Amino acid sequence: MTREGMWELQSYKLADYSVSHPCFICHGGNNFDAELCRHCMAPMALAHQAAQLKTPPRLIAAVGSAGAGKTVYLGMLTDMLSRENNDLQVLARGAFSVQIQQITMEALANCRFPDKTPSEPDHWNWLHSQIQSKRIKRPYELMMPDLAGDALLEEINHPNSYPVIHHFLSKASGIMLLVDAAELEQGSQVQDFFATKIVSYLCELESHAKTGWPNRPIAVILSKADQCDTCFLDPLEFARKYAPSLWRQVKERLKKYQFFATGVAGACATIYGLGGQEQIPLRVEPRGIVEPFSWLTHQISKKP
């Protein structure tokens, strides 16, 4: 061994850290090699991908309470739209955009639903896709996160507690609001209260009559409608009967809205184990999955 030696200085690498790279969601500055935004925990891959585009990607959020079926709906939706036999198609941008589709289809193939989305933003799945359709003149890029229902409730009750939700919903072009129809039919008011709070939160967040949420499209999706068939017959009437607060809030405060009914599992069963009771899908019969997203993307594409 010897005490003398040469060590090459790599000070040029410091130059990379002198340039701030803004997050696409919150615009906070980050280092060039950051995986997640240090301010809001959104993936920095979104910012790098958006920087390569001439037109900024548009944002759509799927919101709803914990257990409303957001992950299952998004996973089934992306799986159906990734096939070539649909007029409306999505083309994934980046490997991370396939994750929610994969975990959903693997879970359903094993007769179970995907695990609950954690409240920590660094564990959320994100979708970045290109939307293609004969009804749309030009394909455009779209970003969607799988937001946790518990985190969303915390942000609604305590604004700015989750900066990524606050900034994303401020910038979003449209929303898919999922409401558990089976729970509504059973007489529970939890879903009605939660959905009403979301609509009220959005209208307070961006209240401008033309550019705010009163004039942005919202698709109200009555999920798990396969467990209450009357929901499919007339979703608007079902909402008026079982979710009167939400129905009135939407009717009075929004200009662009539509009610839909969806179902992924044709039939479910309840099993009891050491962790408590759990619902499992007995078969997979997607119904009304594409219609809400198709309506929403058509509304968004009308904007310049």
Side-chain angles (χ1 to χ4, degrees):
M1 296 182 63
T2 173
R3 296 182 178 178
E4 298 182 354
M6 296 183 64
W7 189 268
E8 182 182 359
L9 292 178
Q10 298 181 333
S11 56
Y12 65 91
K13 291 185 176 180
L14 297 176
D16 292 329
Y17 291 97
S18 65
V19 179
S20 176
H21 293 257
C23 169
F24 181 72
I25 304 300
C26 72
H27 302 296
N30 294 271
N31 293 333
F32 77 99
D33 56 354
E35 180 180 357
L36 300 172
C37 172
R38 63 190 179 93
H39 304 281
C40 72
M41 306 302 289
M44 285 302 294
L46 301 175
H48 300 317
Q49 292 173 338
Q52 300 173 3
L53 302 173
K54 293 181 179 178
T55 305
R58 301 183 184 185
L59 309 180
I60 285 180
V63 299
S65 67
K70 299 182 294 298
T71 302
V72 176
Y73 177 76
L74 290 177
M76 180 58 70
L77 177 69
T78 52
D79 186 68
M80 295 177 69
L81 296 184
S82 62
R83 305 178 190 279
E84 293 185 355
N85 55 354
N86 284 303
D87 171 57
L88 181 64
Q89 295 182 1
V90 298
L91 186 64
R93 298 293 196 191
F96 65 90
S97 297
V98 186
Q99 183 69 8
I100 189 170
Q101 176 186 355
Q102 181 181 358
I103 62 174
T104 301
M105 301 317 295
E106 286 181 351
L108 293 175
N110 290 292
C111 291
R112 62 179 181 83
F113 291 112
D115 295 333
K116 180 182 175 183
T117 303
S119 298
E120 297 79 11
D122 55 330
H123 288 81
W124 295 350
N125 291 309
W126 290 71
L127 302 169
H128 179 198
S129 307
Q130 185 184 64
I131 303 299
Q132 302 173 344
S133 173
K134 295 178 181 177
R135 300 174 61 190
I136 300 174
K137 293 183 179 179
R138 295 178 181 176
Y140 60 87
E141 306 281 326
L142 189 68
M143 291 181 178
M144 288 191 296
D146 181 20
L147 303 176
D150 292 335
L152 188 61
L153 179 60
E154 185 69 15
E155 169 62 25
I156 292 172
N157 291 332
H158 307 285
N160 290 311
S161 56
Y162 279 82
V164 63
I165 296 178
H166 183 90
H167 290 288
F168 192 92
L169 295 183
S170 296
K171 298 174 62 176
S173 302
I175 272 184
M176 294 183 288
L177 171 56
L178 276 81
V179 185
D180 190 331
E183 196 171 319
L184 285 176
E185 193 181 46
Q186 292 169 6
S188 172
Q189 292 183 295
V190 174
Q191 292 291 318
D192 190 18
F193 290 143
F194 193 99
T196 304
K197 291 168 74 174
I198 289 179
V199 175
S200 181
Y201 170 84
L202 292 173
C203 291
E204 296 300 319
L205 183 65
E206 296 290 338
S207 59
H208 194 278
K210 292 184 177 179
T211 61
W213 280 108
N215 198 37
R216 297 184 196 177
I218 294 182
V220 182
I221 302 174
L222 300 170
S223 61
K224 306 180 185 179
D226 49 275
Q227 300 177 39
C228 44
D229 285 339
T230 56
C231 185
F232 278 113
L233 299 177
D234 191 343
L236 180 61
E237 178 60 23
F238 184 91
R240 191 188 67 80
K241 182 178 180 181
Y242 293 102
S245 297
L246 171 64
W247 179 80
R248 183 173 177 79
Q249 188 80 211
V250 168
K251 183 181 176 183
E252 296 292 334
R253 306 193 69 174
L254 303 181
K255 295 179 182 177
K256 300 176 182 177
Y257 65 89
Q258 192 157 329
F259 286 81
F260 299 89
T262 66
V264 172
C268 292
T270 303
I271 60 174
Y272 298 88
L274 296 177
Q277 62 178 1
E278 177 188 2
Q279 271 207 329
I280 60 170
L282 296 180
R283 57 180 184 268
V284 178
E285 291 180 359
R287 186 178 175 188
I289 299 295
V290 177
E291 287 80 355
F293 187 74
S294 178
W295 176 82
L296 196 57
T297 53
H298 183 62
Q299 295 293 323
I300 291 173
S301 64
K302 294 179 180 178
K303 296 182 178 180

